[in-house]
Amino acid sequence: MNTGKPIAIIALGKYLPEKVDSNSLEEKYDIPKGWSEEKSGVQSRHQITFESSGYMGARAIEKALLKSQLQMKDIDMIISAAATFDYILPNQASIIKSELKNCLHLNTATIDINTTCLSFISAFELASKLLDGKQYKNIIIVSSEISSKGLDPDNWETFTLFGDGAVAAVLQYDENSDSRFIKGGQRTYSEGVEFTIIKGGGNKYFFKDYPYDQQLHSFKMNGIKLLKLAKTKLPEFIDSFFEDLSINILDTNVIIPHQASKIGLMLFNRLYNFREGQVKENLKMYGNCIAASIPLVLHDTIESGEIKRGDLCFLIGTSAGFSIGGVLFKY
Amino acid sequence: MNTGKPIAIIALGKYLPEKVDSNSLEEKYDIPKGWSEEKSGVQSRHQITFESSGYMGARAIEKALLKSQLQMKDIDMIISAAATFDYILPNQASIIKSELKNCLHLNTATIDINTTCLSFISAFELASKLLDGKQYKNIIIVSSEISSKGLDPDNWETFTLFGDGAVAAVLQYDENSDSRFIKGGQRTYSEGVEFTIIKGGGNKYFFKDYPYDQQLHSFKMNGIKLLKLAKTKLPEFIDSFFEDLSINILDTNVIIPHQASKIGLMLFNRLYNFREGQVKENLKMYGNCIAASIPLVLHDTIESGEIKRGDLCFLIGTSAGFSIGGVLFKY
């Protein structure tokens, strides 16, 4: 499949804060032993101690650059693709850039793209449209997420599910490359707009008028309604995504779904008759790292050799909003 | 100038909340009479009473659609281009979409782009790269901003400067149009990363650990340092923006700078030998409406006939981060 634009992911880098086992989390917060792995499917996740999103994002970029053999001066834009942030203002990409070592003199453009859990997918599509080998030769997408701050310890389902972490990917326009960006797309189903929400902290429940309240300021998820909606809409979205292509989802080599939850991944795996090993997962090791989940799987499966150059890869996920999005590319 | 992509702004719509005169603001908050207009250059601004960003954004979209003679079903994507938001999660574009009348059945894609005050400019460039007349025929960019919540009444400089409001623009790919997207670009100068900031409310000063504090949770601006940096970097950015084009900034018909502040606009006007009426302003009427400022000027100058089809327009601004960005297009 050589349609599409000659865009290659030339390197990825990741940064993970301290590892936290489910056992120790269960002990500390009085959750029954074994509950986390059984219910949320998460054995361990990583959680910040001293780190900020800016710090983790900058370290992930530095690692990706090292592998890419490029330097920051070769990068035309940094896209922060995430749902969480260090400050209300300025935008997170400018914070991440400012934390890069020895890069203060560079004037790399910085842009934030936020489609919550789908941010990496959206950024991948937008970066691929920008990259032209002229004005934009290399773009870094960085998904740095801190979920641990906004979780309610009394809501075991979400508290044991999420993790923190950062991944950066260097995308390059290269006419001599065999890699291809083929297609991206997204749809928003507004009937699910309040199924996943953090109500407090924005302008609607402004912190001046609504002081901190564990209920109001924590992540809320209506898991049952969410799964029901995803089950109906995912096949519809996927079928329509592949409609104008000469292949279908089963013809891809690798599928990386968003690591939403144990039951979410089970649901996804039952939608089609996937080959063994075709759908990649890492929920058990990292939990749901919001927008960093998909690139984390991508990073590790490339490192392990499960994804090889020439492989047709499909990234697909759901997000708060409620949206479904996907990106198809040849690695 | 017919280089570029055949993309046209086919309509704009705006929504403004209640008008608040500087006089009444000064009376209410014990600010010396006349201070606002003299120092910040703002005679009146609009401020929300019952409105949310979602509400204002949806109303602006509905007005733009009415003028465009398109319907929501013709729109392939809604981009929220703003720095402020209703909820921490989900993303603002999905909130705005959910508040559109009779559109619950539509699955329009929703994406947030945030480069603070430059968000409309960044979204313009990215939308223009996406629009192809096939997968993306029409994209709406909506900048809906509520600044009034995050201002410190004791900091007169910022308190009297900012305003609330929303503007939506319908962009269309049309091969038969004479309109053109010509170029976009941005640069981030990290030495200014903390010159404009809202420290509290994100993950770094999380509201659980840092209860509401007027200082921490309000917009802070180091005006003097900001102006100094802008003065050095603006000409450098503009010269380099036009370097590979056959024209310079003075050859454009209309220039719309971000309505940052009275002194910021004065500084900008002195950079080049602009013709009378070439640079458009509305700071006096609306204040600085963050990312909504530039499209507000665009909306009103098109309505008044100051911008005509075929005019070469340059949008240019500075933002927190510290970034400078611009977009050149033929209306």
Side-chain angles (χ1 to χ4, degrees):
Chain A
M1 193 153 192
N2 258 343
T3 56
K5 217 168 159 181
I7 285 160
I9 299 179
I10 59 166
L12 290 121
K14 74 175 176 187
Y15 177 91
L16 294 170
E18 194 174 80
K19 189 175 169 182
V20 179
D21 286 326
S22 284
N23 286 348
S24 64
L25 208 66
E26 286 160 359
E27 236 168 71
K28 196 171 164 190
Y29 289 92
D30 236 359
I31 301 168
K33 200 171 170 337
W35 194 96
S36 311
E37 206 180 331
E38 196 197 320
K39 300 285 183 178
S40 68
V42 183
Q43 209 170 69
S44 61
R45 80 284 296 141
H46 295 252
Q47 290 184 342
I48 54 157
T49 50
F50 68 91
E51 294 95 341
S52 64
S53 284
Y55 179 89
M56 295 199 301
R59 300 298 82 77
I61 289 178
E62 284 156 1
K63 284 184 193 174
L65 278 176
L66 209 63
K67 284 200 241 168
S68 74
Q69 305 196 339
L70 294 178
Q71 293 176 289
M72 254 320 282
K73 69 173 176 48
D74 304 313
I75 306 300
D76 303 300
M77 179 182 277
I78 298 171
I79 300 178
S80 165
T84 59
F85 47 85
D86 287 330
Y87 303 108
I88 300 285
L89 185 134
N91 60 327
Q92 188 59 29
S94 67
I95 296 294
I96 292 174
K97 176 180 178 290
S98 75
E99 299 211 19
L100 290 167
K101 285 187 194 109
N102 308 318
C103 290
L104 209 61
H105 62 292
L106 296 173
N107 308 323
T108 325
T110 59
I111 285 184
D112 284 16
I113 291 175
N114 178 7
T115 50
T116 66
C117 297
L118 290 172
S119 302
F120 185 84
I121 285 180
S122 305
F124 196 152
E125 181 181 10
L126 286 163
S128 300
K129 298 296 166 91
L130 276 175
L131 284 161
D132 56 7
K134 294 167 205 152
Q135 191 182 351
Y136 298 102
K137 290 185 190 73
N138 301 292
I139 291 179
I140 286 180
I141 303 173
V142 54
S143 295
S144 182
E145 298 275 27
I146 296 175
S147 63
S148 55
K149 292 264 185 188
L151 295 175
D152 173 0
D154 295 334
N155 184 332
W156 295 349
E157 188 186 1
T158 53
F159 188 63
T160 62
L161 177 59
F162 285 86
D164 304 339
V167 190
V170 185
L171 269 68
Q172 183 171 71
Y173 183 96
D174 177 7
E175 281 189 352
N176 300 315
S177 166
D178 200 39
S179 299
R180 291 287 181 279
F181 164 82
I182 299 166
K183 189 183 174 179
Q186 193 235 56
R187 286 185 182 183
T188 300
Y189 304 87
S190 299
E191 56 267 50
V193 67
E194 292 205 343
F195 291 177
T196 35
I197 196 161
I198 300 177
K199 282 210 167 171
N203 274 326
K204 202 136 176 183
Y205 297 89
F206 193 63
F207 20 71
K208 189 174 182 177
D209 314 313
Y210 296 86
Y212 181 77
D213 168 302
Q214 199 162 283
Q215 291 298 311
L216 190 69
H217 290 85
S218 295
F219 177 74
K220 292 264 169 272
M221 176 169 83
N222 189 327
I224 292 167
K225 284 192 175 176
L226 208 56
L227 281 168
K228 218 176 139 183
L229 189 59
K231 204 176 165 177
T232 328
K233 302 300 182 188
L234 266 168
E236 177 188 313
F237 174 85
I238 293 169
D239 291 350
S240 120
F241 186 96
F242 283 95
E243 209 172 39
D244 59 351
L245 302 169
S246 57
I247 57 157
N248 67 48
I249 188 170
L250 292 171
D251 298 324
T252 60
N253 299 101
V254 174
I255 296 162
I256 301 179
H258 172 48
Q259 307 294 297
S261 66
K262 182 183 172 183
I263 190 160
L265 286 168
M266 273 170 57
L267 181 153
F268 181 77
N269 275 291
R270 284 180 195 153
L271 287 180
Y272 298 87
N273 195 15
F274 296 118
R275 292 186 306 282
E276 212 187 304
Q278 189 176 18
V279 177
K280 306 294 181 192
E281 294 183 16
N282 69 4
L283 184 76
K284 206 173 180 175
M285 288 163 64
Y286 301 125
N288 176 339
C289 296
I290 321 176
S293 263
I294 286 176
L296 255 178
V297 181
L298 192 61
H299 176 283
D300 289 359
T301 45
I302 289 172
E303 289 262 298
S304 68
E306 291 170 78
I307 298 182
K308 289 173 288 295
R309 286 288 168 198
D311 277 352
L312 207 55
C313 304
F314 185 48
L315 313 181
I316 169 85
T318 56
S319 77
F322 168 86
S323 299
I324 302 178
V327 118
L328 182 69
F329 66 100
K330 191 164 90 168
Y331 176 64
Chain B
M1 194 152 192
N2 259 345
T3 57
K5 217 168 159 182
I7 285 160
I9 298 178
I10 60 166
L12 291 121
K14 74 176 176 186
Y15 177 90
L16 293 169
E18 194 174 82
K19 189 175 169 183
V20 179
D21 286 326
S22 285
N23 285 347
S24 65
L25 207 65
E26 288 161 357
E27 237 166 70
K28 195 169 164 193
Y29 290 91
D30 236 1
I31 300 168
K33 199 171 173 332
W35 195 95
S36 311
E37 206 181 332
E38 197 197 318
K39 299 286 181 175
S40 68
V42 183
Q43 210 170 68
S44 61
R45 82 282 296 140
H46 294 253
Q47 289 183 343
I48 55 157
T49 50
F50 67 91
E51 294 94 342
S52 64
S53 284
Y55 178 91
M56 295 199 301
R59 300 298 82 77
I61 288 178
E62 284 156 2
K63 284 185 192 172
L65 277 176
L66 208 65
K67 284 199 240 167
S68 74
Q69 305 196 338
L70 294 179
Q71 292 176 289
M72 252 320 282
K73 68 172 175 53
D74 305 313
I75 306 301
D76 303 299
M77 179 182 277
I78 298 171
I79 300 177
S80 165
T84 60
F85 47 85
D86 287 331
Y87 302 108
I88 299 286
L89 184 132
N91 60 326
Q92 187 60 30
S94 68
I95 296 294
I96 292 174
K97 176 180 178 291
S98 75
E99 300 212 17
L100 290 168
K101 285 186 194 112
N102 308 319
C103 290
L104 209 60
H105 61 294
L106 297 172
N107 309 322
T108 326
T110 58
I111 285 184
D112 285 16
I113 291 175
N114 178 7
T115 49
T116 67
C117 297
L118 290 173
S119 302
F120 185 83
I121 286 180
S122 304
F124 196 152
E125 181 180 9
L126 285 163
S128 301
K129 298 293 166 92
L130 277 176
L131 284 161
D132 55 9
K134 294 168 208 152
Q135 190 182 351
Y136 298 103
K137 291 184 189 75
N138 301 292
I139 292 179
I140 286 181
I141 303 173
V142 53
S143 295
S144 183
E145 298 274 28
I146 296 174
S147 64
S148 55
K149 292 262 183 188
L151 295 175
D152 173 0
D154 295 334
N155 184 331
W156 296 348
E157 189 186 359
T158 54
F159 188 66
T160 62
L161 176 59
F162 285 87
D164 303 339
V167 190
V170 185
L171 269 68
Q172 183 171 72
Y173 183 95
D174 177 6
E175 280 189 352
N176 301 315
S177 166
D178 200 38
S179 298
R180 289 288 181 278
F181 164 81
I182 300 166
K183 189 183 174 180
Q186 193 235 55
R187 286 185 181 182
T188 300
Y189 304 86
S190 299
E191 56 265 51
V193 68
E194 292 205 342
F195 291 177
T196 35
I197 197 160
I198 299 177
K199 283 211 166 170
N203 273 327
K204 203 138 178 182
Y205 297 89
F206 193 63
F207 19 71
K208 189 175 182 177
D209 315 311
Y210 296 86
Y212 181 76
D213 169 302
Q214 198 162 286
Q215 289 300 310
L216 190 69
H217 290 86
S218 296
F219 177 73
K220 292 266 169 270
M221 176 168 83
N222 189 328
I224 292 167
K225 284 191 174 177
L226 208 57
L227 281 168
K228 219 178 139 183
L229 189 59
K231 202 176 165 178
T232 327
K233 302 301 182 188
L234 267 168
E236 177 187 313
F237 174 86
I238 293 169
D239 291 351
S240 121
F241 186 98
F242 283 94
E243 210 173 37
D244 59 352
L245 301 169
S246 56
I247 57 156
N248 67 47
I249 188 170
L250 292 171
D251 297 324
T252 61
N253 300 101
V254 174
I255 297 161
I256 301 180
H258 173 48
Q259 307 294 297
S261 67
K262 182 183 172 183
I263 190 160
L265 286 168
M266 274 170 57
L267 180 153
F268 181 78
N269 274 292
R270 284 180 194 153
L271 288 180
Y272 297 88
N273 195 15
F274 296 118
R275 293 187 305 283
E276 212 186 305
Q278 189 175 18
V279 178
K280 307 295 181 191
E281 294 182 18
N282 68 6
L283 184 76
K284 207 173 179 173
M285 287 162 66
Y286 301 124
N288 175 340
C289 297
I290 321 177
S293 262
I294 286 175
L296 255 178
V297 179
L298 192 61
H299 176 283
D300 289 358
T301 45
I302 288 172
E303 288 262 296
S304 69
E306 289 170 80
I307 298 182
K308 287 173 291 293
R309 287 288 169 198
D311 277 353
L312 207 54
C313 303
F314 185 49
L315 313 181
I316 169 85
T318 56
S319 77
F322 167 87
S323 298
I324 302 178
V327 116
L328 182 69
F329 66 99
K330 192 164 92 167
Y331 177 65

